[in-house]
Amino acid sequence: MIESLRDIRLFVAAYEARSFTAAAERENATQSGVSQHIRKIEDRFGVRLFARSGGAVSPTPAGDSYYRACIEVLRVNEAANRAVMSYGTGLDGEMVVGLMPTMTRSVLAPALATFVAAHPNVVVRIVESFSGPLTQQVQAGDLDFAIVPLTAGTIGLRSRRFARTPEVLVADAARGLPHMMPLRLADLGPLKIVVPSRQNARRAHLEGYFAANGVQVERLLELDAMLGALDFVARTDFVAVVPGLMMATDAALPAPRRLTIHPLADPPLAIDLVLIEPARRTLSPAAAAFLSVLEQEAHAHDAVWPVLEQPAA
């Protein structure tokens, strides 16, 4: 009793999207076609995989069990295809990777330069966004992988830790704070702070730190444009707290400088970044090779900061 890969892909799409219509759009099928394929599987096994209520569907316990087996089938099939393709003439193809500004500002350029020199036939596309949209695009299969802050698990995704980086204070150099000197935010008096919007996973992370450590906040300004936020800080009396990985290159810049950078102290604050990829498939050789280069570059950049032993807040 063997299902076709098409049936399995349609079932997995419906399970992850919780919608036959969304599954049809993802798999270039029709809503009625998806429904018929899944009904065929259910009739063959004599068990319902989804509970249907109006336009919504939710998996039954049998559906949950079947999904776990199906994503392994798809991964094995993908791995088998890649194994045969690896006998070709080197890495080629196309990959689409999602990165946050944390990664694109300092880490991306040197990693990309190394990768394209070694694999000139690979078509590389980089999508810059924040954790929410990137997670959705990985789940839909539009991205090979993405790097995002650590969050709760999401259906259809496989994840692992990519890097841990400290959060650092960035201020206008005119404030006169000694560059790279660790600072305790509670000692700086009322602060005007640029923060990401609440759609960004780091917002709650930062506000929790401020509240737990007696940081006096005079004003919060929401700004998700990270490069714009740094330019704004350099022109005003606002400060920002950003991932150290983003500012690693700036840490070594000689004077004169527009911004000073300060690791947070007493206590320090770190953020875990994770790799997310679709659970139903393996990384292509090109994507895996680029991920390896990206990790090496990220770890080299983070070496400018003190070793982080405490768990991320």
Side-chain angles (χ1 to χ4, degrees):
M1 195 178 293
I2 301 175
E3 302 301 326
S4 72
L5 287 174
R6 178 63 170 168
D7 288 341
I8 290 174
R9 288 194 180 96
L10 290 173
F11 166 76
V12 167
Y15 182 97
E16 292 179 354
R18 297 295 200 267
S19 164
F20 289 172
T21 300
E25 292 176 357
R26 187 170 107 179
E27 296 296 325
N28 295 316
T30 63
Q31 187 274 340
S32 61
V34 171
S35 180
Q36 290 170 10
H37 276 270
I38 291 174
R39 181 72 70 184
K40 181 181 70 173
I41 299 173
E42 292 177 326
D43 290 344
R44 179 170 296 177
F45 289 112
V47 64
R48 289 290 172 243
L49 300 175
F50 292 101
R52 299 158 173 83
S53 176
V57 297
S58 58
T60 63
D64 290 333
S65 178
Y66 191 58
Y67 170 78
R68 290 191 292 270
C70 283
I71 62 173
E72 290 305 317
V73 170
L74 294 180
R75 288 180 67 83
V76 169
N77 177 70
E78 184 86 5
N81 292 337
R82 297 294 182 190
V84 173
M85 293 171 61
S86 68
Y87 287 93
T89 56
L91 297 181
D92 56 17
E94 180 178 353
M95 65 175 184
V96 190
V97 173
L99 299 175
M100 304 176 300
T102 296
M103 295 290 297
T104 59
R105 187 166 188 265
S106 293
V107 177
L108 175 61
L112 195 57
T114 298
F115 181 80
V116 298
H119 307 289
N121 280 333
V122 175
V123 177
V124 181
R125 293 177 54 212
I126 305 296
V127 176
E128 183 183 72
S129 190
F130 293 98
S131 55
L134 291 179
T135 299
Q136 293 172 4
Q137 290 178 71
V138 173
Q139 188 180 36
D142 296 333
L143 301 177
D144 290 283
F145 69 83
I147 307 299
V148 298
L150 177 64
T151 56
T154 302
I155 293 173
L157 299 183
R158 187 181 299 266
S159 65
R160 68 168 174 82
R161 191 209 278 187
F162 174 83
R164 171 172 289 178
T165 190
E167 297 277 9
V168 299
L169 180 74
V170 179
D172 176 19
R175 294 174 74 102
L177 298 174
H179 181 60
M180 291 299 288
M181 183 181 76
L183 293 175
R184 184 171 181 266
L185 289 188
D187 293 339
L188 298 183
L191 292 171
K192 298 178 182 177
I193 306 180
V194 178
V195 294
S197 69
R198 297 193 182 280
Q199 285 70 43
N200 189 305
R202 291 182 57 251
R203 175 64 176 271
H205 179 70
L206 294 176
E207 289 190 336
Y209 179 86
F210 298 157
N213 294 285
V215 179
Q216 299 180 60
V217 178
E218 177 182 335
R219 181 179 178 186
L220 291 179
L221 176 66
E222 289 190 2
L223 191 56
D224 274 333
M226 292 296 287
L227 295 184
L230 294 177
D231 191 35
F232 178 75
V233 166
R235 298 167 184 268
T236 67
D237 59 350
F238 276 78
V239 298
V241 177
V242 302
L245 197 56
M246 182 178 180
M247 305 303 298
T249 301
D250 300 68
L253 290 177
R257 57 180 66 87
R258 297 181 70 201
L259 298 168
T260 57
I261 304 166
H262 311 276
L264 301 185
D266 299 326
L269 177 65
I271 184 169
D272 281 327
L273 304 179
V274 298
L275 160 75
I276 57 173
E277 57 179 306
R280 61 189 178 276
R281 70 187 192 206
T282 58
L283 289 179
S284 69
F290 181 63
L291 174 61
S292 177
V293 174
L294 202 63
E295 283 190 286
Q296 293 173 29
E297 212 48 69
H299 289 240
H301 276 65
D302 250 350
V304 304
W305 310 113
V307 175
L308 295 167
E309 298 179 350
Q310 85 289 352

